[in-house]
C-alpha cells in the first residue's frame, strides 16, 4: 500500500478524571488502535539534544504517546515533511508504515511510549534516507 502523511492521524485515548480530584486514568482498550498490538517499548532519559528514530518501517504500524513531558516527531513521506509535537498522555499519534520519522527536542523527564504491530525485526527498518526515497519511488510504497 502506498502511504503518505495523510495516513497519519491522532487517536484520542479516553480519559477518566477522578471526581474526587485524584487525577486522571487513561485506558487503551484493544480495539482503539487500528492493528493488533505485538510489542510495547518506551524511550526515556533522552538528552534534549539527541534524536531518536531516523528510519522508516516497511510493515510496522505504531502509535506514539508522550506519557510524560514532550517531544517533536518529524514525519516525512518522501514528498512532504511535517513536525508534530506530542505532549498529552491521552493522545496517540498513529504512524503508518513507509513513513520516515525522527524524534527530537525531548523535554526533561519525557517518556515516549510506542505501541506497535510487529515483533522486533531489523529487516523491517530502512535506516538510510536515500534508500527510503528509492523505496518510496517504487509505486507500491
Ligand atoms: C521507532 C522509535 C520510536 C531491540 O533490541 N528491540 C526492540 O524492540 C527495539 C525497539 C530496539 N532494540 C534495539 C535495537 C538497537 O540496538 O535497541 C537499540 C536501539 O534501537 P533504535 O536505534 O531502533 O532506537 P530508536 O529510538 O531510534 O527507534 C525506536 C524503534 O526502533 C523504532 O521502531 O519507531 O523507537
Amino acid at each position: 500500500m502506498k502511504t503518505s502523511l495523510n495516513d497519519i492521524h491522532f487517536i484520542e485515548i479516553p480519559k477518566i478524571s477522578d471526581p474526587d480530584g485524584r487525577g486522571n486514568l487513561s485506558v487503551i482498550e484493544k480495539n482503539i488502535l487500528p492493528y493488533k498490538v505485538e510489542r510495547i517499548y518506551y524511550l526515556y532519559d533522552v538528552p534534549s539534544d539527541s534524536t531518536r528514530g531516523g528510519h522508516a518501517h516497511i510493515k510496522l504500524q505504531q502509535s506514539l504517546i508522550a506519557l510524560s513531558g514532550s517531544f517533536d516527531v518529524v514525519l516525512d513521506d518522501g514528498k512532504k515533511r511535517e513536525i508534530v509535537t506530542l505532549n498529552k498522555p491521552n493522545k496517540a499519534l498513529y504512524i503508518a508504515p513507509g513513513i520516515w520519522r525522527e524524534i527530537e527536542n525531548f523535554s526533561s523527564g519525557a517518556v515516549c511510549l510506542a505501541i506497535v504491530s510487529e515483533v522486533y525485526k531489523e529487516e523491517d527498518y530502512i535506516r538510510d534516507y536515500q534508500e527510503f526515497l528509492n523505496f518510496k519511488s517504487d509505486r507500491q510504497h
Side-chain angles (χ1 to χ4, degrees):
M1 187 182 72
K2 188 132 181 123
T3 55
S4 73
L5 294 187
N6 293 332
D7 296 302
I8 290 167
H9 57 267
F10 281 108
I11 296 171
E12 196 74 23
I13 303 167
K15 176 165 93 173
I16 303 166
S17 295
D18 189 82
D20 299 323
R22 295 183 304 151
N24 300 319
L25 182 154
S26 280
V27 55
I28 303 172
E29 297 277 7
K30 65 178 178 193
N31 50 5
I32 202 173
L33 302 177
Y35 52 86
K36 184 170 171 285
V37 176
E38 284 291 344
R39 186 165 49 111
I40 294 175
Y41 50 87
Y42 41 98
L43 305 171
Y44 56 101
D45 291 344
V46 181
S48 58
D49 58 354
S50 290
T51 299
R52 305 294 307 221
H55 58 252
H57 285 283
I58 297 169
K59 199 167 163 215
L60 179 143
Q61 304 174 69
Q62 74 179 174
S63 301
L64 298 181
I65 303 171
L67 277 191
S68 174
S70 68
F71 48 84
D72 294 336
V73 186
V74 181
L75 299 158
D76 182 331
D77 63 9
K79 290 199 170 120
K80 278 190 283 176
R81 212 163 235 245
E82 78 180 40
I83 302 180
V84 173
T85 300
L86 292 189
N87 56 10
K88 288 193 171 61
N90 64 326
K91 221 172 181 190
L93 178 70
Y94 169 78
I95 307 178
I99 304 291
W100 185 268
R101 88 288 313 271
E102 288 160 20
I103 307 158
E104 58 188 27
N105 203 13
F106 283 81
S107 72
S108 159
V111 179
C112 170
L113 181 74
I115 305 174
V116 309
S117 67
E118 309 293 325
V119 298
Y120 177 72
K121 272 195 210 121
E122 191 53 39
E123 311 86 84
D124 191 65
Y125 286 75
I126 304 173
R127 293 188 185 270
D128 178 83
Y129 189 69
Q130 188 54 51
E131 205 182 301
F132 167 70
L133 293 179
N134 297 343
F135 173 80
K136 292 303 279 183
S137 65
D138 174 344
R139 285 166 48 110
Q140 304 289 309
H141 307 107

